[in-house]
Amino acid sequence: MTHEKQHPILLDYVRQYPLPHGVRFTYGTAGFRSEGSILASTVFRAGILAALRSLKTGSTVGLMLTASHNPISDNGVKIADPDGGMMIQQWEPFADALVNAPDPEHLLQLVIQFVKEENIPFGGGQSANILLGRDTRPSGDALLEAAKQGINSVVGAFAIDMGILTTPQLHWMVRNINKGTRSSESDYMEQLAKSFRCLVDLAPDNTMESKLVVDGANGVGGEKLQQLKKILSGLDICVRNTGKEGEGLLNEGCGADYVQKEKAIPSSFGLDDVGMKCASLDGDGDRLVYFIPSASSNNVDLVDGDKILTLFALFIKEQLDFLCNEQGFDNKEAVSLGVVQTAYANGASTAYLKKLGLEVVLAPTGVKYLHKEAATFDVGIYFEANGHGTILFSEKFLSHLQARSDELSSTASGSESHKSGLRLLEVSRLINQAVGDALSGLLLVEAVLQYKGWSIKAWNELYQDLPSRQLKAKVADRNAVVTANAETKVVKPPGLQELIDEETAKYPCGRCFVRPSGTEDVVRVYAEASTQEAADSLAQSAVQLVDRFLGFAGSHQKA
Ligand code: 16G
Ligand code: MG
């Protein structure tokens, strides 16, 4: 039998989406990303990939169209696995091969071979379900059609369009559908609002600054926050950059990436906001940073992902202490609390967390790596400095917690330990268990600040960041840099790490690492030291070393 006869629909559809010339796509840290206008064939093929993943797992998977904080003309596609996490990494090489297959025949060959190797029930009457989500990018509509066609080209696969969503909303839906729990968008909104309300009700009666001004990056996050606001009580939120006509372009001069990297106030913020508690979301609503616009020039005091992690860690640790110190919590020894950071975490944050007695684990950059590490704890908190993170609770711990709270509600109702149990349960319902989520993260920050009675200023003063500098080096081949130890050491090219170490040793509190970017064709350089001048100079020296070893291929820019 010919391939065409085995998979008649597949081949017909593939021909409608020719590959653009001279481009190679790779499933980087966050899926395939590129200029939106050349992505149709990639998205079509990602539709096939998602259908195969659903067939293989026998569960619903997700396909999200977004390019996060990239400019509005870009777009991208990534797959969410049945548990709501990122697509399993073992499938990435196949994903790369599939989207780059030069013609329909090659593509078909690849699929047939992969289906056989992976033992995927294909064409045997099984069905596949794929939830589709997209952000607000104009290219999203056409790409959605391409994704649907890709899915439809696989026998038995069904695409379910969930409309415009934040990335974490789609991941949440996939996870809930597969768990058999409520999974619509209004369920998501109600869950967040309800858990937030419960946490606030469980907090001491503190007076605090409740006003919060949020930069929505002119993207989907701002729009959804407006929606959520309608059913939220106890918070005074003003959303700017919601993406409405006339408010500006997606991610242009605004959004979490801009605020974090540039340490500058986003567009539509001004003198009236000086000293205010402000937050910024990224273009697809999975990153969150806080900031305080400062009186001088255009600057902000940045309250980044490390500070959010620290706030959450303090709160969770305190609740666990209340709970575990109470007699009768037999699982005291067994509760493991861990925090996961990347090498980009400011050294001051890591030192602070360690001083609290917390176990700090380093993971390579990219959510999929941090998430995996965090999932090894009963309660694992992960955050990248750029604001992407969440808190994971193990099923085992949650069932212990539920049982303990039920018990306490009859024996010690209203006690601090009872309340701590209830608080932890609500945190697990509020904070997205599938992936980092700016909306649920924001509500948890607000609930914890309220609980502590802290202003953003008090929170920001928990520790002071060490001065740091990020630069990028354009080189002939970024993949010539190979790292180990969660990207803190270069193993290739040989000799480079030794020279970086020598340079770093010249600076008090010096720390420096280089790594190939997973999203851009550059090598990134990070340096930290006791003064800004020293951090700048160390970063410069490291860039020069990278150039010397890898060959300079363009101008150096700020990260
Ligand atoms: C992607 C990652 C983000 C990471 C960034 C690093 C996800 C969902 N997103 O945006 O976590 O910080 O890449 O980019 O994993 P880089 O490799 O170019 O420095
Ligand atoms: Mg994002």
Side-chain angles (χ1 to χ4, degrees):
M1 207 195 283
T2 66
H3 295 147
E4 184 107 18
K5 285 216 175 100
Q6 271 177 313
H7 304 284
I9 311 175
L10 189 73
L11 213 47
D12 249 13
Y13 277 101
V14 182
R15 293 197 180 103
Q16 295 171 30
Y17 288 94
L19 206 64
H21 287 293
V23 202
R24 206 186 147 76
F25 300 96
T26 39
Y27 200 94
T29 11
F32 296 108
R33 250 183 229 183
S34 186
E35 181 76 35
S37 59
I38 59 163
L39 265 179
S41 81
T42 306
V43 171
F44 169 84
R45 292 166 184 215
I48 299 177
L49 177 70
L52 294 177
R53 190 75 197 129
S54 175
L55 284 172
K56 165 78 188 180
T57 56
S59 304
T60 299
V61 303
L63 183 151
M64 182 72 198
L65 295 171
T66 179
S68 185
H69 53 277
N70 286 29
I72 191 161
S73 55
D74 282 2
N75 215 324
V77 58
K78 57 182 166 183
I79 311 295
D81 250 8
D83 63 358
M86 306 289 176
M87 183 182 77
I88 185 174
Q89 283 166 51
Q90 285 93 305
W91 273 45
E92 289 181 13
F94 171 66
D96 286 351
L98 187 69
V99 305
N100 293 300
D103 54 56
E105 280 300 334
H106 275 92
L107 183 140
L108 199 52
Q109 271 299 336
L110 266 171
V111 172
I112 289 167
Q113 196 193 331
F114 190 67
V115 161
K116 206 165 138 208
E117 273 168 26
E118 285 278 321
N119 218 356
I120 298 173
F122 193 30
Q126 287 84 349
S127 61
N129 292 306
I130 297 94
L131 302 190
L132 301 180
R134 65 186 191 284
D135 68 13
T136 52
R137 287 161 198 277
S139 56
D141 281 341
L143 292 178
L144 182 76
E145 285 315 306
K148 283 185 185 165
Q149 298 264 39
I151 292 164
N152 292 339
S153 74
V154 175
V155 183
F158 300 97
I160 307 153
D161 180 8
M162 306 307 289
I164 291 182
L165 296 173
T166 67
T167 297
Q169 278 186 309
L170 182 76
H171 284 255
W172 184 92
M173 287 173 180
V174 170
R175 180 182 160 88
N176 281 23
I177 276 205
N178 289 316
K179 279 172 68 112
T181 51
R182 295 169 59 176
S183 57
S184 71
E185 183 170 20
S186 57
D187 293 330
Y188 169 91
M189 296 285 182
E190 279 163 24
Q191 175 73 71
L192 261 58
K194 186 165 160 245
S195 308
F196 174 71
R197 190 67 252 164
C198 289
L199 278 170
V200 170
D201 288 345
L202 284 163
D205 222 355
N206 288 319
T207 45
M208 57 167 289
E209 54 180 347
S210 62
K211 173 129 199 202
L212 171 68
V213 191
V214 182
D215 157 31
N218 284 315
V220 58
E223 194 177 309
K224 299 297 176 188
L225 185 57
Q226 290 276 47
Q227 222 171 301
L228 183 59
K229 227 178 93 169
K230 294 188 192 135
I231 56 163
L232 269 182
S233 51
L235 255 191
D236 179 8
I237 303 185
C238 162
V239 191
R240 310 241 179 92
N241 300 331
T242 61
K244 271 202 225 99
E245 220 41 62
E247 274 203 279
L249 277 187
L250 174 71
N251 297 329
E252 204 172 275
C254 58
D257 194 63
Y258 172 82
V259 173
Q260 192 238 349
K261 294 239 169 76
E262 305 292 327
K263 294 200 175 68
I265 59 164
S267 56
S268 3
F269 283 63
L271 280 177
D272 284 353
D273 304 307
V274 168
M276 291 289 296
K277 176 169 68 173
C278 301
S280 182
L281 320 176
D282 76 339
D284 64 334
D286 65 358
R287 286 195 201 176
L288 169 72
V289 294
Y290 272 70
F291 62 97
I292 314 169
S294 59
S296 64
S297 68
N298 198 22
N299 287 348
V300 301
D301 286 330
L302 181 69
V303 186
D304 64 0
D306 299 339
K307 281 254 163 73
I308 297 175
L309 168 67
T310 308
L311 183 73
F312 288 175
L314 273 169
F315 177 72
I316 299 283
K317 186 171 184 302
E318 192 174 318
Q319 303 312 310
L320 282 174
D321 286 346
F322 282 140
L323 193 71
C324 296
N325 287 338
E326 193 74 11
Q327 277 196 350
F329 194 74
D330 54 357
N331 219 32
K332 180 173 177 177
E333 257 44 79
V335 184
S336 62
L337 168 64
V339 296
V340 188
Q341 302 189 295
T342 71
Y344 285 109
N346 195 279
S349 75
T350 313
Y352 185 88
L353 290 162
K354 286 189 174 161
K355 231 170 105 191
L356 286 179
L358 289 166
E359 184 176 344
V360 183
V361 177
L362 274 199
T365 306
V367 170
K368 58 192 174 193
Y369 302 112
L370 288 110
H371 192 96
K372 203 164 140 209
E373 287 294 341
T376 63
F377 296 97
D378 287 326
V379 187
I381 315 175
Y382 70 86
F383 261 90
E384 291 189 308
N386 62 25
H388 197 140
T390 193
I391 308 176
L392 301 182
F393 291 82
S394 76
E395 291 292 341
K396 184 182 113 234
F397 176 67
L398 282 180
S399 52
H400 268 288
L401 197 56
Q402 187 65 60
R404 181 69 184 138
S405 299
D406 292 348
E407 195 187 314
L408 286 169
S409 72
S410 50
T411 58
S413 181
S415 66
E416 211 40 50
S417 57
H418 180 219
K419 283 193 196 158
S420 306
L422 295 176
R423 285 185 197 115
L424 289 168
L425 282 170
E426 284 311 334
V427 172
S428 78
R429 292 173 191 136
L430 170 60
I431 199 88
N432 199 322
Q433 295 295 289
V435 79
D437 180 339
L439 299 190
S440 65
L442 179 144
L443 292 187
L444 185 57
V445 166
E446 292 305 314
V448 177
L449 290 179
Q450 188 128 348
Y451 168 86
K452 291 272 187 197
W454 282 354
S455 63
I456 185 168
K457 200 160 164 287
W459 169 27
N460 193 33
E461 283 166 1
L462 281 179
Y463 62 83
Q464 207 182 352
D465 277 328
L466 279 167
S468 67
R469 174 64 61 210
Q470 289 191 49
L471 294 174
K472 45 191 181 185
K474 283 201 176 294
V475 295
D477 175 16
R478 75 182 196 273
N479 295 316
V481 176
V482 179
T483 62
N485 298 357
E487 303 178 317
T488 55
K489 293 275 171 260
V490 176
V491 286
K492 270 188 199 160
L496 176 56
Q497 185 60 49
E498 286 71 15
L499 293 178
I500 292 175
D501 288 344
E502 254 175 49
E503 203 54 39
T504 307
K506 295 179 190 162
Y507 298 87
C509 303
R511 190 169 69 88
C512 177
F513 66 89
V514 306
R515 54 174 283 274
S517 157
T519 63
E520 248 185 280
D521 198 12
V522 295
V523 168
R524 298 208 193 278
V525 171
Y526 177 91
E528 203 172 86
S530 56
T531 65
Q532 191 59 56
E533 295 67 36
D536 291 351
S537 147
L538 178 55
Q540 266 309 334
S541 308
V543 164
Q544 279 159 18
L545 289 171
V546 170
D547 287 345
R548 181 156 23 121
F549 277 74
L550 285 111
F552 177 52
S555 63
H556 297 130
Q557 299 149 12
K558 263 168 71 174

